[in-house]
Amino acid sequence: FKSHCVFINVVAIGSMERATEKIYDLLKHLGENIDPNLISPQVAITEFMSIQGLLAGGQKDIFLNLYQMTDRTKLMTMKLLAMRVMYYLQQHSFMSGYLACKMI
């Protein structure tokens, strides 16, 4: 997995599109099937509002008291999503916020 992450970072230097394809391909193998072509700003706003409701009030305390994640598949998924969030932040895309919400 670490070699895939290094490969993605190297590929991203030359072709962000190819790196993106590789990340989404790996995410599919980890059980997270995200098609960026199906995510519109409206879908992202819906996800933002859902997470905002989740983190409001007493729900926030439950979330903050969760144990550290130990499932390797989920950890690898989070690492790939975090990489993708960083790429989207550089592009100033709404997708960075959408993927951050998916991580929560």
Side-chain angles (χ1 to χ4, degrees):
F1 178 76
K2 289 180 183 181
S3 62
H4 283 289
C5 291
V6 171
F7 174 74
I8 290 167
N9 283 324
V10 170
V11 169
I13 294 169
S15 172
M16 189 64 73
E17 292 79 23
R18 189 164 172 227
T20 298
E21 289 173 12
K22 186 66 176 168
I23 287 175
Y24 285 120
D25 183 50
L26 285 172
L27 284 170
K28 285 179 190 173
H29 292 292
L30 293 171
E32 191 69 42
N33 192 7
I34 299 173
D35 185 354
N37 297 320
L38 298 177
I39 301 167
S40 66
Q42 293 77 18
V43 171
I45 289 172
T46 302
E47 188 72 23
F48 299 152
M49 300 306 286
S50 172
I51 293 299
Q52 183 180 19
L54 176 70
L55 297 178
Q59 296 284 346
K60 181 179 177 182
D61 294 334
I62 294 169
F63 176 74
L64 293 174
N65 289 325
L66 292 175
Y67 293 105
Q68 183 176 0
M69 186 183 311
T70 56
D71 182 341
R72 292 203 33 86
T73 301
K74 288 182 182 179
L75 288 170
M76 289 186 287
T77 301
M78 291 298 146
K79 181 168 181 135
L80 290 172
L81 287 172
M83 288 171 66
R84 194 60 222 150
V85 166
M86 293 303 295
Y87 296 148
Y88 279 132
L89 279 172
Q90 293 172 353
Q91 297 172 350
H92 303 286
S93 171
F94 68 90
M95 285 293 292
S96 61
Y98 175 81
L99 290 179
C101 287
K102 292 291 284 182
M103 292 171 74
I104 294 172

